[in-house]
Amino acid sequence: MSSRAMILEKLRAAGSPERINREVMPRSEIRRGDADVFIEKATAAAAQVIKTTVDNVPQAVRDILAEIGCRNLLLSDEGIIREFKIEAVVGEMGIALQFTGELPAEEYRRQIFQVEAGISGCDFALADSGSIVIKHDGDKQRLLSLAPDHYIALVKASQLLKDRFDLALLLEKEKTAAVTLITGVSRTADVALQVVLGMHGPRKVYILLIED
C-alpha cells in the first residue's frame, strides 16, 4: 500500500462513526482532573513534574534554579508569584530578576530572549494531556513560557480540569483574546527524521504541582 493510500485510510477510520468521541456531547458541569493522571501525561511529554505542598514551594523553586545554574530570569506579574514570595527566593540566591510588568514592551521583547528562565502561574491545567493553560490578552505571558531555555510553571491542584472539553465550557463564558496550551517540551523530526526536543520553545519545562 502506498503512503498516500495509508494516510487516506487512517483519515477515513478517524472519521468513522465508531471513532466519534462521545465527550463532544454538550455538558454543563465542570469535571476536575486527577493529579496522578496529570503527572503521568506531563512526564510522558518530557516535562519534569514536582509534586509539592504550599509550604515547600519556595524550596522547590530554589532547587530547580540551582539545578539549572540560573543567573537571570523573568517573573510574571501574578498573585501566585507574590503569594509564594518567589522574588525573595531568587534574591537570596543572587540571581538577577525582573517582573514582566516592569518592562516597557520593546525592552520586554529584548530581555525575554536573553534570560535563562521564566516563571509564571497558569489559569488551568488539563489532566488528560498534562497541559498547562494560560489565558492572555497580550504576548507577555505567552513569550515568558516560550522564549527562555527553561520554563517553570506553578500549578495548583485545584486548577486541574479533566480535559479540553471542560476547558471549552469555561472559556465559552469568557472573553479571552488568546489561550496557550503548553504540553511538555516541544519536539520535531523535520530534520532527517531525528526527534529533537526543545526546538520551538524551552529546552526544559518544570511544573510545580502544588497541593492546595
Side-chain angles (χ1 to χ4, degrees), residues 4-140:
R4 180 177 181 276
M6 289 175 64
I7 292 171
L8 290 175
E9 182 177 335
K10 289 181 179 180
L11 289 173
R12 282 193 291 269
S16 66
E18 304 83 52
R19 296 291 296 275
I20 293 176
N21 191 332
R22 299 303 174 186
E23 292 287 1
V24 176
M25 299 299 290
R27 291 184 295 99
S28 59
E29 76 282 2
I30 303 298
R31 300 167 302 172
R32 295 299 164 182
D34 182 272
D36 290 335
V37 173
F38 175 79
I39 293 171
E40 176 188 351
K41 298 297 184 179
T43 301
Q48 185 171 330
V49 185
I50 301 160
K51 197 172 182 179
T52 187
T53 62
V54 168
D55 291 340
N56 288 331
V57 170
Q59 184 59 49
V61 171
R62 188 179 290 108
D63 291 342
I64 294 172
L65 295 176
E67 176 185 323
I68 66 180
C70 185
R71 294 167 297 180
N72 49 70
L73 60 75
L74 279 178
L75 299 175
S76 67
D77 267 318
E78 294 177 85
I80 194 170
I81 300 296
R82 310 282 186 180
E83 176 184 349
F84 292 111
K85 300 179 174 59
I86 303 303
E87 180 181 12
V89 171
V90 175
E92 291 169 2
M93 299 180 70
I95 298 172
L97 72 94
Q98 287 181 293
F99 281 95
T100 55
E102 297 173 348
L103 299 173
E106 290 303 317
E107 178 64 13
Y108 169 78
R109 292 186 178 89
R110 187 181 69 82
Q111 291 275 6
I112 197 66
F113 292 101
Q114 296 180 2
V115 297
E116 297 171 332
I119 304 178
S120 80
C122 71
D123 293 286
F124 307 106
L126 306 182
D128 77 324
S129 60
S131 303
I132 302 164
V133 182
I134 298 176
K135 300 185 298 181
H136 47 87
D137 296 319
D139 62 355
K140 286 193 171 182

